[in-house]
Amino acid sequence: MASRRPSWALALVALCLSFELALQEKGKGKKEDDNNGGGGGGGETLVPAIFVFGDSTVDVGNNNFLPRCNDICRANYPRYGVDYPSQNATGRFSNGYNLADYVAKLLGFPESPPALKSLSEEGIIEQMKKGINYASGGSGLRNHTGHDLCGQVCTMADQLEMFTSNVQKMGKEDSSELISRSLFFISVGSNDLFEYANDSKPRHNRNDTEFLKGLVDLYKSYLQELYEVGARKFSVVSPSLVGCCPIQRVLGNQRNDTDGLGCFGTANNLSRQLYPMMLSMLQNIDLQGMNYSIADSVGMTELVFEGVIPPGMNLTVVDTACCGGSGPLQVDKCNSTATLCPNRDNYLFWDGFHATDVASSGAAKMLCSDEGSFVHPINITKLATL
Ligand SMILES: *[C@@H]1O[C@H](CO)[C@@H](O)[C@H](O)[C@H]1NC(C)=O
Ligand SMILES: *[C@@H]1O[C@H](CO)[C@@H](O)[C@H](O)[C@H]1NC(C)=O
Ligand SMILES: *[C@@H]1O[C@H](CO)[C@@H](O)[C@H](O)[C@H]1NC(C)=O
Ligand SMILES: *[C@@H]1O[C@H](CO)[C@@H](O)[C@H](O)[C@H]1NC(C)=O
Ligand SMILES: *[C@@H]1O[C@H](CO)[C@@H](O)[C@H](O)[C@H]1NC(C)=O
Ligand SMILES: *[C@@H]1O[C@H](CO)[C@@H](O)[C@H](O)[C@H]1NC(C)=O
Ligand SMILES: *[C@@H]1O[C@H](CO)[C@@H](O)[C@H](O)[C@H]1NC(C)=O
Ligand SMILES: *[C@@H]1O[C@H](CO)[C@@H](O)[C@H](O)[C@H]1NC(C)=O
Ligand SMILES: *[C@@H]1O[C@H](CO)[C@@H](O)[C@H](O)[C@H]1NC(C)=O
Ligand SMILES: *[C@@H]1O[C@H](CO)[C@@H](O)[C@H](O)[C@H]1NC(C)=O
């Protein structure tokens, strides 16, 4: 592992430098207005619109509107949102912004496009010009993922169906140029891994490779579906080391199944196997004229869990939830009576599953500026400007 540390450090130095250069180049040296909580964009953006799909890593409130979705899979109550500009819970699984927000910000938008379910029927057609967020916490690549835990989620299949139907409502002339130049930002798969790893079926009855191959085949079919409605620019975020989130660490300990990082071994093994399979799927996908950027979230997070903290960040606690109860690693529910850590910027995890605002910000910078260490074959900034 030691040999990888310099590459991480270099990648980050390069990141910071190239980032500043990119900003100067675009003449956007002025201070960003962090209090702009609106959905549309005012200034110049690198793509006309962003369409977001996936799970709670990028949901900005769709689950608030699903009547049978329970509180486990919603984040529309305190203390979620304590650091959001309005200081209110929005449905984001974070103390502030999430990954979709920060990627959108780096492309010149004020934050993530709004949640589909928050829009009126007329609002949808107008908002399609700037982008819409279809993501739903708890969902996965498989139709059934999240169903038992959450009561109700928008599955990836549902999300794509709603997108396709909105494109059709726009009319072909209006949509095709827009859709082909827009960014499709997808972060999904962790919940499929969580459910499979937590399943207590005897291990000899299962074939992990077959399960993972099934996920990758589904991923491919969703990309093909988006391509068919005109999408050409795909940013794909692979699941990170899912066994290292606080709840999974506790589970790993309970099962006496921990790896060298102190995380849930079975779950992390799945993450480690999945990334190369996703990369290979993208490298071999035969869709004329499409471009992609895939993030190796396993590589990105591995060093952090080993204690190598990216420069400019002040993460000192990487195993414990900031908002939680008194249980081990603070994994109790994050709600209005939960204890809150004193300095949110020191924590990688906001609750038992989800990253803090500051961690999402760091990850988004990586996705947008990394030069080949963890993002392949191109970063999102490059993808956006193609
Ligand atoms: C924040 O939430 C409170 C109640 O939960 C509500 O009264 C208030 O209007 C909200 N503020 C904003 C800015 O949304
Ligand atoms: C998943 O659900 C969609 C409809 O939402 C359906 O078209 C598709 O066949 C389902 N996939 C599987 C594998 O059941
Ligand atoms: C794991 O599954 C059990 C039921 O088998 C459930 O009670 C528990 O909440 C699950 N844990 C996680 C972290 O999903
Ligand atoms: C597991 O599945 C893979 C892919 O389908 C297959 O190549 C392999 O032989 C299977 N392994 C076992 C032990 O059945
Ligand atoms: C936990 O696993 C370790 C190594 O796999 C083994 O040596 C130990 O006996 C196990 N402990 C329990 C309580 O099962
Ligand atoms: C994880 O993978 C490593 C290497 O492939 C293997 O030695 C270990 O047994 C696996 N652990 C679990 C819990 O599957
Ligand atoms: C974008 O995709 C086209 C065709 O799919 C390919 O020829 C080109 O090399 C890609 N550009 C980059 C920067 O990867
Ligand atoms: C890092 O966090 C510690 C503990 O909260 C704080 O004392 C220190 O000022 C922080 N450092 C920076 C550079 O923000
Ligand atoms: C917060 O969650 C805990 C369980 O972790 C529960 O005991 C408590 O009543 C909840 N508080 C509220 C206000 O719902
Ligand atoms: C993104 O990658 C390109 C090379 O593909 C590099 O020139 C650029 O500095 C990187 N970062 C940004 C913010 O564009």
Side-chain angles (χ1 to χ4, degrees), residues 88-103:
N88 264 20
T90 58
R92 287 168 174 79
F93 296 80
S94 166
N95 52 315
Y97 289 118
N98 69 22
L99 188 61
D101 289 310
Y102 278 113
V103 165

